Amino acid sequence: MEPPTAEAVLQGVFTLYNDPNNVEKEKASKWLEEFQKSIHSWKIADELLRQKHDLNSCTFAAQTMRNKIQNSFHELPESAHESLRQSLLEHLSHITIETKSVIVTQLSLALADLALLMSSWQKPVATLLQRFSSNANMMYALIELLTLIPEEVNSRHLRLGANRRKEILIDLEADSTLVSEYLTVCLVNGNENELLRSKILKCFTSWVQINAFKLPEISDSMIIVYCFQLLSSGTTSPDLHEAATDSLCSLLHCMELNNSRGGLDEKLFGGIMCLEEAYNMSVAQEDLDKSMNLCRLFTVLVESNLTRMVALSDDETPHYSVKSLDLVLNCVGHYDYEVAEITFNMWYRLSEDLYQRNNYQLTAHFKPYVERLIAALYKHSQLDPDHDGLVEEGGSFKDFRSKVSEIIKDVIFIVSSISCFKQMFVVLQSPNVSWESSEAALFIMQNVARNILPEIMELGEREIPTSRFNQLCEESEVVPKVVEAILNLPENCHIAIRYTSISILGELCDWIDSNPETLQPVLNFLLFALQQKNGLASAAANSLQLICSTCKKHMVGHISGLMEIARCLDSFDIQSESAIGLLKGISIIIGRLPPAQLTPAMQELCSFQVEALSRLANGDDDGLDGKKSRSDPAFWLDRLASIYRHVSPTVRNNEVNPCAFVIVNNWNVLSRALERYKNDSKIMERIVRCIRYAIRCIGKQAMPILEPLVKQIITIYSGHNHSCLLYLGSILVDEFAYEEGCTQGLLNMLQAFIEPTFGVLQMENGLKNHPDMVDDFFRLATRFIQRAPLQFLQSPLVTPIIQCGLLACTLDHREANISVMRFFCSLLRHDRANDLEPMVQSILASHGEALIMNLLYASVFCLHSNMLSDVAEVFVEIKQHSPHQLEEHVKKAVDSLPKKNSGGSVTVTHEQMVQFVTNVVNSQTARATTQALQDFARLYR
């Protein structure tokens, strides 16, 4: 853009904030956005801050300055850094009490980021304190600055690098005493100004979070004492209460991280344990925010002691910190379930630790606490007494009950599923028990029912006392009583009770499989429920699917009844997902039938879906009940896909697959659907998914449809670049590349795919905008290497595919990048004694250097740290071929990277480069290579 003037920018800001014309506002917004990207914005933003024309222009200028420092600092030569620093300090020095907080924050952020980036600025914190600490008008701005500097240390935008970050942290640790003293003075002299005190606490917290304070030195800090005073008082404002909670939580996290124990640890533990009365007061005053703050603090206290709590508890005596669980359980009992939810991750961590140790005596210490937890969750899970219908889908209470399900499944081994089942059954038998109490008890039982049978079977194998073994065996006798009670529910019981009871039967599928005499009455009960409305039918369908999946041996005899259910499926009031699940269950049973019965049963089951799909493919949706969902081909395709996926007969070599006749016979309908819906990417994905399961079901016996299918998808892909067709191509390669006469045709398919694929990917941002296409294309190429390596490597297609893969190395998309890395690994991974070795060596000679260069660049600048394990696999494969070549290429790649960052600080030293090359070359495993890549990448982040 042309160099703008300050006046033009002022006019743009005025238009953006004041012009009533939305078109003009949009134009101004785009122009200002482009202006902020230009190099001219440095000077003009500085000019606007000096002019102080109005609030909007000053705010825009401050935001621009902060954006430029964060994202475009490399535009400035090092010689300009000092003048920028002086300019920002000058702007900050003119701040008064009246200056708007948004301007103060943006300017403070700009200066904080500059302090971190500008390596020539020595001791920035000490400089700021020396310059501004004696100016009362600067107190707010200075505290804001001191808060932001540690907060920005780990900013992803700044990319400080590990070396610079280490320098900064050492400096901040050295200056932490000055900061602590200044904050204490501000606290003493700040009168009763709540905003100032809140800022002081937030600043203190930010320094704790980067571990800058030496914990023994702040054990007597007035700020910590003040935090406890605030939390103990019933009159503390919400902001101060939250800030005090954050400070103490940060201290606890810091101590856990450093495994630091001593005076501060004891003070915090004792002080927090004394806050129980404050919590009870917040409950009495119905101050939910304070209750949640204190619950969070109690939970973090437990988490910070969790390792010691478990490790230092012996068989006889638990660790003293176990009593902090009483504080947490008090919170779980709060009348609002949102408070209980805060504790859930802590219970998960506790259960993980106990499960790994597998020590019955140790686990027994925590059993009473988990029993209390389940009792509290049972109460929280109760619906309102006047609630009609089921739990509302998508509501916050439904979400909470879902989390309750997860946490119960995590902790239930501590108390045993059978004991919990009995505990809830006692509730059901209580005299005059309310419907909502019964439903909640059933809900808890539903979440442990799946564990009942495995637990009974394991009882004899576990090292538990004989008395406990006998008790659990006795408790297991509760299950048939529960099943009997469910099967005899009165007709007038609340719908929620019936719904949860139906769900329990599905979860008891393992127990039913071991007690087949209960199967017929259970099926009768579910069949009746399947004919009900208001959600009961969907629950019954889900339970039937579970029983079919688990009780396969016993359900074969009920195939006629299942087929009758399939015929009437659309007459039931069930959700689409439940219907698909029910078809899955029926299909599993069909797959166990003898071939003579399987083929007609599968043909009939498919016919209900295929006939409807055929009418839609012909453009005729008459006779589909007039419902909107019925006229959507996805409705029928998903059902058909479920059948193809789950009818899985056992077929020996050279035997005819009994599904083949049905699938080949239905091909014409799917072919017509491909043609009709080729413009609709979502429907095409459903059709491809259906064809995928069909091919997987019958494998090579799908040969009659292979040629017409390949021709059709090539034609469609040339005009409509649906990446799902590439995925389907990989399925075909996987199944047919070994077959004589198929390989060349499949290579021709790949060649036909390349031109339209590369046409899309070579557009501006093509790789970034089409990650699915990258994922599916390289999955297809990888299948060729795995199934027909010789033919693939001999083809002229391999070079352009490799070149595309080199460009795609930097794509920061998890699935797409994995496919690219697997392509390169497959290219390099094979028996090095066979005929392919010379070809692979030739590929490495031509592309090895570029591959290593791109992989290292991607690792450092483009990819998330958790994606580097896949990159490491490629390094390992290259090393298998030639360690010397790997070392040479890695040295060149490292040498091409910048040695300093935009702030002038050293990003990577010569010693670190040498160490990285050594680590990569000497790594014996992909895990070690991953660690080397992650450590090296941190130097640039």
Side-chain angles (χ1 to χ4, degrees):
M1 66 189 298
E2 287 293 318
T5 62
E7 290 72 24
V9 176
L10 277 172
Q11 183 58 50
V13 173
F14 179 84
T15 301
L16 180 65
Y17 286 101
N18 299 294
D19 198 315
N21 187 327
N22 286 330
V23 175
E24 293 300 316
K25 276 179 179 286
E26 184 65 25
K27 278 185 187 175
S29 177
K30 287 182 179 176
W31 188 86
L32 290 171
E33 192 177 321
E34 287 302 311
F35 159 75
Q36 285 187 318
K37 293 177 184 175
S38 77
I39 198 166
H40 310 292
S41 56
W42 289 100
K43 182 178 178 182
I44 292 178
D46 184 49
E47 192 176 332
L48 292 178
L49 285 168
R50 293 182 194 282
Q51 289 179 7
K52 297 187 179 68
H53 190 277
D54 57 31
L55 172 62
N56 289 333
S57 65
C58 287
T59 302
F60 175 76
Q63 288 172 337
T64 301
M65 195 65 82
R66 187 259 300 166
N67 278 332
K68 297 299 288 184
I69 292 172
Q70 272 194 352
N71 304 311
S72 307
F73 194 59
H74 60 275
E75 292 177 353
L76 288 183
E78 279 192 56
S79 57
H81 292 176
E82 179 59 30
S83 61
L84 175 61
R85 179 179 77 142
Q86 293 301 333
S87 178
L88 285 173
L89 286 169
E90 182 67 20
H91 291 313
L92 272 166
S93 67
H94 291 132
I95 284 174
T96 65
I97 299 296
E98 286 75 33
T99 306
K100 295 295 182 182
S101 62
V102 64
I103 298 175
V104 176
T105 300
Q106 294 300 318
L107 281 176
S108 298
L109 259 174
L111 190 59
D113 288 344
L114 180 64
L116 299 176
L117 286 164
M118 186 175 164
S119 59
S120 59
W121 186 357
Q122 299 292 317
K123 294 284 189 180
V125 170
T127 304
L128 293 169
L129 284 167
Q130 185 177 2
R131 178 162 179 170
F132 296 124
S133 61
S134 59
N135 185 346
N137 288 331
M138 282 295 298
M139 190 182 294
Y140 284 93
L142 183 53
I143 291 175
E144 183 87 359
L145 265 170
L146 294 175
T147 304
L148 291 171
I149 287 174
E151 283 183 355
E152 289 290 288
V153 166
N154 294 305
S155 168
R156 289 189 298 112
H157 299 287
L158 298 184
R159 298 187 74 94
L160 294 171
N163 289 330
R164 175 62 180 158
R165 195 173 290 110
K166 185 178 179 181
E167 284 177 17
I168 293 166
L169 290 172
I170 290 171
D171 279 349
L172 295 182
E173 188 175 338
D175 292 334
S176 62
T177 303
L178 291 175
V179 173
S180 178
E181 289 171 356
Y182 177 68
L183 292 177
T184 303
V185 170
C186 291
L187 188 63
V188 172
N189 298 334
N191 301 319
E192 295 302 317
N193 188 318
E194 285 195 358
L195 177 61
L196 177 62
R197 289 171 178 260
S198 179
K199 284 183 174 293
I200 290 168
L201 293 181
K202 288 176 182 176
C203 183
F204 179 78
T205 301
S206 72
W207 284 72
V208 170
Q209 286 172 338
I210 61 162
N211 201 21
F213 292 126
K214 295 180 179 67
L215 295 180
E217 290 182 7
I218 61 169
S219 60
D220 295 320
S221 169
M222 183 183 292
I223 294 175
I224 297 176
V225 174
Y226 182 57
C227 287
F228 279 111
Q229 289 174 358
L230 290 173
L231 295 178
S232 299
S233 171
T235 59
T236 303
S237 69
D239 284 348
L240 274 174
H241 199 276
E242 183 175 8
T245 304
D246 289 342
S247 291
L248 295 181
C249 286
S250 295
L251 282 166
L252 290 168
H253 283 307
C254 190
M255 286 193 301
E256 181 186 11
L257 186 67
N258 293 295
N259 195 23
S260 174
R261 305 299 170 187
L264 181 57
D265 176 37
E266 294 169 5
K267 285 184 180 179
L268 286 178
F269 189 86
I272 294 171
M273 291 297 293
C274 290
L275 290 175
E276 184 173 14
E277 185 54 40
Y279 170 79
N280 293 335
M281 190 192 313
S282 74
V283 176
Q285 294 173 348
E286 298 188 0
D287 193 330
L288 182 60
D289 288 338
K290 287 185 180 178
S291 295
M292 293 178 80
N293 285 336
L294 289 166
C295 176
R296 179 160 58 92
L297 180 58
F298 298 157
T299 303
V300 172
L301 176 66
V302 173
E303 288 179 327
S304 68
N305 285 288
L306 210 50
T307 302
R308 291 192 305 162
M309 186 186 296
V310 175
L312 300 181
S313 293
D314 57 34
D315 289 352
E316 301 299 325
T317 312
H319 188 256
Y320 76 88
S321 62
V322 166
K323 59 188 177 183
S324 58
L325 287 172
D326 288 313
L327 287 179
V328 173
L329 282 165
N330 191 15
C331 297
V332 176
H334 192 279
Y335 57 82
D336 193 307
Y337 60 77
E338 287 186 42
V339 179
E341 205 172 313
I342 293 170
T343 73
F344 282 5
N345 187 62
M346 181 276 293
W347 294 110
Y348 167 75
R349 285 185 57 187
L350 174 64
S351 68
E352 280 288 289
D353 201 342
L354 290 173
Y355 186 80
Q356 293 298 327
R357 293 175 187 273
N358 192 25
N359 182 318
Y360 176 77
Q361 283 78 14
L362 177 62
T363 301
H365 289 313
F366 297 91
K367 182 183 174 185
Y369 298 102
V370 174
E371 286 176 337
R372 287 167 59 192
L373 170 68
I374 292 174
L377 294 178
Y378 149 70
K379 289 181 180 177
H380 279 303
S381 299
Q382 292 182 18
L383 291 157
D384 291 333
D386 57 353
H387 182 87
D388 292 328
L390 305 176
V391 180
E392 183 182 349
E393 288 292 336
S396 59
F397 188 61
K398 178 79 171 180
D399 181 57
F400 171 73
R401 295 235 301 193
S402 176
K403 291 174 182 175
V404 168
S405 296
E406 293 302 317
I407 202 65
I408 286 177
K409 289 170 185 174
D410 287 333
V411 303
I412 194 60
F413 74 93
I414 298 171
V415 297
S416 93
S417 300
I418 302 169
S419 297
C420 178
F421 214 75
K422 183 180 181 183
Q423 183 183 355
M424 292 298 116
F425 186 63
V426 170
V427 172
L428 293 177
Q429 291 183 310
S430 303
N432 302 318
V433 63
S434 64
W435 75 264
E436 65 273 16
S437 297
S438 297
E439 193 279 334
L442 289 166
F443 168 73
I444 300 296
M445 295 165 87
Q446 174 191 336
N447 289 298
V448 302
R450 190 74 69 93
N451 296 334
I452 295 290
L453 182 70
E455 210 166 77
I456 293 171
M457 294 174 68
E458 290 170 11
L459 283 178
E461 301 173 12
R462 289 164 57 188
E463 293 183 11
I464 60 174
T466 304
S467 58
R468 179 67 182 139
F469 174 81
N470 294 334
Q471 181 188 357
L472 289 172
C473 288
E474 182 183 333
E475 289 171 349
S476 68
E477 296 175 6
V478 168
V479 182
K481 296 177 183 176
V482 172
V483 172
E484 184 181 0
I486 288 173
L487 297 179
N488 292 290
L489 281 173
E491 287 189 22
N492 63 346
C493 74
H494 195 283
I495 186 172
I497 290 180
R498 190 170 290 277
Y499 179 91
T500 308
S501 298
I502 292 168
S503 301
I504 287 179
L505 293 178
E507 294 296 326
L508 282 170
C509 54
D510 288 312
W511 183 86
I512 292 170
D513 189 41
S514 290
N515 296 270
E517 69 280 2
T518 63
L519 182 58
Q520 187 62 58
V522 166
L523 291 177
N524 293 340
F525 180 86
L526 293 177
L527 181 58
F528 176 77
L530 203 55
Q531 300 166 63
Q532 307 303 302
K533 297 188 181 298
N534 301 321
L536 295 181
S538 290
N542 295 337
S543 289
L544 268 172
Q545 183 237 302
L546 288 171
I547 289 172
C548 285
S549 300
T550 306
C551 309
K552 297 185 280 287
K553 179 175 63 176
H554 306 299
M555 287 298 292
V556 170
H558 297 274
I559 188 62
S560 59
L562 293 174
M563 291 303 296
E564 186 57 37
I565 288 173
R567 293 184 194 101
C568 303
L569 189 60
D570 289 323
S571 68
F572 302 137
D573 182 28
I574 59 177
Q575 296 173 343
S576 182
E577 278 186 22
S578 300
I580 292 168
L582 186 51
L583 285 172
K584 169 188 173 181
I586 297 171
S587 301
I588 288 171
I589 304 307
I590 287 177
R592 293 182 66 88
L593 294 173
Q597 296 178 40
L598 189 154
T599 303
M602 182 179 179
Q603 188 169 20
E604 182 181 2
L605 192 62
C606 291
S607 68
F608 307 136
Q609 335 307 327
V610 171
E611 288 169 11
L613 190 59
S614 179
R615 288 200 293 274
L616 291 172
N618 292 334
D620 176 17
D621 60 358
D622 290 342
L624 297 178
D625 299 336
K627 293 182 181 178
K628 186 178 179 181
S629 60
R630 303 291 196 272
S631 60
D632 181 355
F635 180 87
W636 306 103
L637 285 164
D638 288 348
R639 291 181 171 198
L640 188 58
S642 182
I643 298 169
Y644 285 167
R645 183 180 186 180
H646 295 105
V647 175
S648 183
T650 302
V651 181
R652 297 185 182 88
N653 289 336
N654 302 320
E655 282 186 352
V656 175
N657 190 312
C659 303
F661 172 80
V662 180
I663 287 173
V664 173
N665 201 42
N666 291 340
W667 160 244
N668 283 334
V669 175
L670 289 176
S671 176
R672 278 186 281 128
L674 278 171
E675 185 60 33
R676 178 168 178 80
Y677 298 106
K678 62 187 177 185
N679 295 320
D680 190 324
S681 60
K682 293 199 177 297
I683 300 300
M684 286 295 290
E685 286 176 7
R686 300 307 236 291
I687 299 171
V688 163
R689 185 166 167 267
C690 196
I691 296 172
R692 166 197 170 192
Y693 289 130
I695 299 291
R696 290 299 197 197
C697 180
I698 61 175
K700 296 170 184 59
Q701 295 184 35
M703 189 71 78
I705 68 174
L706 176 61
E707 186 175 346
L709 172 58
V710 169
K711 286 180 179 177
Q712 190 170 12
I713 63 176
I714 287 174
T715 303
I716 293 174
Y717 190 75
S718 64
H720 308 80
N721 308 133
H722 302 301
S723 72
C724 61
L725 297 176
L726 298 173
Y727 180 80
L728 181 55
S730 70
I731 300 297
L732 298 178
V733 172
D734 199 36
E735 291 290 343
F736 296 103
Y738 286 139
E739 293 298 298
E740 189 177 346
C742 288
T743 307
Q744 188 56 51
L746 292 170
L747 278 170
N748 293 341
M749 175 189 71
L750 175 62
Q751 184 169 10
F753 282 152
I754 282 181
E755 185 178 344
T757 300
F758 287 6
V760 172
L761 298 182
Q762 287 169 358
M763 293 190 295
E764 185 178 359
N765 293 323
L767 292 165
K768 182 179 179 181
N769 294 336
H770 301 278
D772 290 344
M773 183 175 284
V774 176
D775 181 16
D776 292 327
F777 179 77
F778 282 97
R779 189 193 303 268
L780 170 60
T782 300
R783 289 290 192 218
F784 265 106
I785 297 170
Q786 293 169 342
R787 296 292 182 259
L790 183 62
Q791 295 91 327
F792 178 75
L793 292 175
Q794 287 175 335
S795 79
L797 307 179
V798 68
T799 298
I801 293 175
I802 289 173
Q803 290 169 341
C804 181
L806 292 173
L807 294 174
C809 285
T810 58
L811 183 57
D812 183 18
H813 183 279
R814 179 72 179 166
E815 287 74 23
N817 198 271
I818 286 175
S819 288
V820 174
M821 295 306 133
R822 285 179 180 168
F823 164 74
F824 283 117
C825 282
S826 298
L827 196 63
L828 300 166
R829 183 185 295 143
H830 60 84
D831 181 1
R832 268 160 278 281
N834 65 23
D835 296 337
L836 301 180
E837 177 64 16
M839 297 183 193
V840 175
Q841 288 292 354
S842 174
I843 288 170
L844 274 176
S846 302
H847 304 287
E849 183 178 333
L851 177 57
I852 291 293
M853 193 82 73
N854 289 16
L855 288 175
L856 188 58
Y857 180 87
S859 300
V860 168
F861 295 112
C862 306
L863 306 180
H864 287 285
S865 184
N866 63 2
M867 296 169 67
L868 298 187
S869 58
D870 303 293
V871 178
E873 296 280 357
V874 184
F875 277 84
V876 169
E877 292 302 328
I878 294 174
K879 181 184 174 183
Q880 296 298 319
H881 287 275
S882 175
H884 176 72
Q885 202 173 16
L886 174 68
E887 182 175 8
E888 183 182 323
H889 292 333
V890 172
K891 280 181 180 177
K892 284 186 180 179
V894 168
D895 197 51
S896 70
L897 296 173
K899 309 302 182 291
K900 286 188 174 183
N901 65 18
S902 54
S905 61
V906 174
T907 305
V908 56
T909 66
H910 176 72
E911 292 75 17
Q912 287 170 326
M913 290 191 293
V914 171
Q915 186 61 55
F916 170 66
V917 174
T918 302
N919 289 344
V920 169
V921 174
N922 293 339
S923 294
Q924 299 300 313
T925 63
R927 186 173 183 179
T929 307
T930 302
Q931 189 63 56
L933 285 169
Q934 289 174 339
D935 291 343
F936 190 72
R938 285 192 197 99
L939 298 173
Y940 289 84
R941 295 182 177 180

